């Protein structure tokens, strides 16, 4: 039995089955829709992805809240009270203040629990990119690696977690300030799709464009050939917002082109989906660099 627990937050978008299998503690982030606040649990107990994206398609927008210091502290302290140490793998500081809340809470609790250890790592990752890193860390924990060994591995490898994604509707990116109104209008008319990634600072960056949906999906797969480190030996991750067929197409392409044997697909949760809208597909794999 390990003497430490890995805590992450629900922006990791890991399936509930894996959360349970890997014995993770996942702090649910909040989102507000139609004036009501919901928690994004891995088992989607308060709102399913189907309902969430159905509401977005009807024009009902969501806003999101980062984890606050009190919530972060409660999650950490619950583990400390069980006599366990804590390794937090947090949502990118480039996209949220969640990591900062965990860091403040960890500092506040350190003096109260001098016999316990608390480490907080800024993953600089999002969605299943964060989930992939947490998955890899949890597998190392299962192999018997110490908390310090896992922490050091995560720090050394987090900038090798490649995040590549595309969206079908530019207007959600316009709402979030990622593209201009003119770009959204012209791009929609001409079926121009952005190809984006998460950079070394944990920010969403537009890198390229593709003409048409299928071309944009293939552009994601092309990145595996450019960047991946031994793709055939990897477990790759794909997240999607109400477009499972497109996610399955990307999975079939990486298997056919690169010999990838295992792909884990899950829905993009409301915290990320509030900014991407329906129709986002994201591919995550380990590369030589991002």
């Amino acid at each position: 039995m390990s003497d430490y627990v890995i805590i992450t937050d629900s922006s990791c978008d890991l399936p509930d089955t894996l959360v349970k299998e890997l014995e993770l503690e996942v702090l649910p982030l909040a989102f507000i829709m139609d004036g009501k606040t919901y928690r994004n649990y891995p088992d989607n107990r308060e709102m399913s992805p189907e309902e969430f994206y159905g509401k977005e398609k009807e024009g009902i927008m969501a806003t999101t809240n980062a984890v606050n210091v009190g919530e972060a502290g409660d999650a950490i302290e619950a583990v400390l009270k069980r006599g366990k140490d804590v390794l937090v793998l947090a949502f990118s500081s480039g996209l949220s203040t969640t990591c900062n809340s965990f860091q403040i809470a960890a500092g506040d609790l350190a003096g109260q629990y001098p016999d316990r250890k608390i480490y907080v790592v800024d993953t600089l990752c999002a969605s299943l990119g964060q989930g992939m890193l947490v998955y890899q860390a949890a597998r190392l924990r299962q192999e018997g690696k110490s908390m310090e060994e896992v922490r050091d591995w995560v720090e050394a490898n987090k900038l090798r977690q490649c995040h590549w994604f595309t969206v079908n509707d530019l207007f959600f990116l316009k709402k979030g300030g990622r593209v201009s109104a003119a770009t959204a209008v012209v791009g929609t008319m001409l079926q121009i799709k952005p190809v984006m990634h998460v950079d070394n600072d944990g920010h969403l960056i537009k890198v390229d464009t593709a003409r048409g949906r299928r071309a944009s999906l293939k552009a994601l797969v092309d990145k595996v050939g450019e960047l991946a480190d031994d793709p055939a030996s990897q477990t790759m991750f794909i997240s999607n917002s109400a477009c499972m067929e497109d996610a399955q197409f990307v999975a079939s392409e990486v298997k056919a082109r690169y010999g990838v044997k295992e792909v884990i697909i899950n829905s993009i949760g409301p915290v990320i989906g509030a900014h991407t809208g329906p129709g986002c597909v994201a591919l995550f794999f380990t590369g030589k660099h991002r």
Side-chain angles (χ1 to χ4, degrees):
M1 180 69 70
S2 175
D3 61 353
Y4 67 97
V5 170
I6 295 175
I7 296 178
T8 190
D9 50 81
S10 62
S11 58
C12 70
D13 288 341
L14 281 169
D16 189 53
T17 51
L18 266 184
V19 169
K20 290 183 171 66
E21 178 188 331
L22 298 172
E23 298 180 291
L24 300 167
E25 298 280 342
V26 179
L27 183 58
L29 291 119
F31 63 100
I32 301 96
M33 206 167 206
D34 250 356
K36 183 177 177 182
T37 298
Y38 301 86
R39 294 284 172 182
N40 173 212
Y41 290 93
D43 63 4
N44 303 310
R45 70 187 71 163
E46 295 195 359
M47 185 182 290
S48 70
E50 292 77 15
E51 183 181 357
F52 177 80
Y53 291 111
K55 287 177 178 291
E56 282 200 327
K57 288 174 182 177
E58 293 170 6
I60 302 170
M61 297 296 100
T63 57
T64 60
N65 286 339
V67 168
N68 63 42
V69 175
E71 292 167 331
D74 288 346
I76 294 171
E77 189 168 23
V79 175
L80 299 176
K81 285 180 175 178
R82 286 154 43 194
K84 302 278 190 178
D85 295 328
V86 175
L87 174 61
V88 179
L89 303 179
F91 188 18
S92 171
S93 63
L95 296 169
S96 171
T97 60
T98 292
C99 183
N100 186 55
S101 293
F102 272 119
Q103 290 167 335
I104 294 170
D108 291 345
L109 288 166
Q112 299 176 43
Y113 294 86
D115 297 329
R116 298 264 61 87
K117 292 181 286 189
I118 311 167
Y119 299 127
V120 178
V121 177
D122 180 359
T123 66
L124 298 173
C125 295
S127 189
L128 270 178
Q130 178 183 340
M132 178 171 67
L133 190 64
V134 172
Y135 169 90
Q136 293 166 340
R139 290 297 188 207
L140 292 174
R141 176 179 172 271
Q142 289 180 331
E143 293 169 12
K145 300 294 185 185
S146 71
M147 184 165 70
E148 287 79 9
E149 287 175 315
V150 174
R151 175 202 60 189
D152 292 347
W153 184 91
V154 170
E155 289 285 11
N157 287 275
K158 65 187 183 183
L159 294 183
R160 298 176 60 221
Q161 310 304 307
C162 299
H163 303 50
W164 289 92
F165 67 100
T166 188
V167 298
N168 210 27
D169 186 343
L170 289 165
F171 286 99
F172 282 89
L173 291 181
K174 178 189 76 68
K175 183 171 74 75
R178 301 296 173 187
V179 300
S180 68
T183 296
V185 171
V186 174
T188 300
M189 290 174 58
L190 298 178
Q191 285 292 297
I192 300 297
K193 309 298 180 184
V195 177
M196 307 180 75
H197 86 135
V198 174
D199 68 9
N200 285 351
D201 295 319
H203 298 127
L204 301 182
I205 301 295
K206 180 183 169 201
V207 176
D208 206 348
T209 56
R211 187 76 177 265
R213 177 66 162 179
R214 187 53 60 95
S216 69
L217 298 176
K218 288 183 175 180
L220 304 183
V221 180
D222 291 343
K223 294 299 179 183
V224 175
E226 294 175 26
L227 297 169
D229 186 11
D230 191 13
S233 69
Q234 293 189 36
T235 297
M236 294 191 181
F237 289 71
I238 300 172
S239 58
N240 75 98
S241 52
C243 50
M244 179 59 79
E245 286 186 7
D246 288 339
Q248 290 171 336
F249 169 76
V250 172
S252 67
E253 285 288 296
V254 296
K255 289 177 179 179
R257 288 166 60 175
Y258 305 110
V260 175
K261 296 176 180 61
E262 184 177 13
V263 177
I264 293 171
I265 302 176
N266 199 34
S267 292
I268 295 172
V271 173
I272 306 295
H275 304 283
T276 66
C280 178
V281 176
L283 173 63
F284 308 95
F285 56 91
T286 301
K288 302 173 183 67
H289 57 80
R290 286 196 177 179

